[in-house]
Amino acid sequence: ASALSSDFAAAIRHLHRAYSLALGSGQIRRAILCAGNLGDSLSSLNEYQAALEWMQRGLDLARKSGGPSCIGSALIQTAQPMHQLRRHDGARQLLLEAIHILEPLAASRTYAVALQYLGDVELDCHEYESALATFQLLEQRALALNHPDLQALAQRGQAHALLELKQSVEALEVVRAALKTASARPDLQIAALRVKADILARQDGSAALLCLQQALALAAGIDGYTVGGELYDACAREHAKLGDFAKAYEFALAASSAREKTHNRDA
């Protein structure tokens, strides 16, 4: 409940206690789920090093358990922080293994999450047509499951792919739908606003900057959230376009500091 309302710090506290209790009472499947969800909450705060540690802990337990659902879920969750750390090949291998294992469970949320992460990897690898198809499939699964969070992620991904495919009018329409779908999830709104800002940046710099300011305001309201370097970079770029170079430099320094924290050598 805490994670679904973007209160990730509270979610981490509850999941850590649940993980310890599950291990102590021999509930290995529940411990695997807790470790993965704890890592997912850390990843949502852009704390990738700690996220990877918890994901790996869950994956190690899952591989020993032998259950396809547990292994598939742990593979998917481990792939996400790896992708955020730009280890795209490794993330893709984990996701393809998970999709193969989960084929008999293609109607599940776990399978849909694998599609979401695979679509994000395809975007970062500039495979925009493949990404668009993956996110369209994800939206179908999200509607069938009646899971608005996955629908918002699917719409955000489609908008990003459409923008890169030079279909900016369609991209803007889809990202507006994503923001409406994600109205209860500030973290998902931040991601959608990032894409909307990229779309508007090619038309109206001041409108793009307004989107980025909205994203920063939402981030400030999430306990423990670390703003990613890409968001600060986008702010720096738009301030520079408007001739405000002092502010652009300030955001560029913030971007460098954020990357030092989220993409450090230890991670």
Side-chain angles (χ1 to χ4, degrees), residues 224-240:
Y225 188 88
T226 298
V227 176
E230 293 81 3
L231 179 53
Y232 284 135
D233 276 337
C235 291
R237 179 193 67 216
E238 296 309 319
H239 276 291

Side-chain angles (χ1 to χ4, degrees), residues 183-194:
S183 59
R185 287 287 301 270
D187 58 315
L188 300 185
Q189 290 181 63
I190 291 169
L193 284 166
R194 280 272 321 282

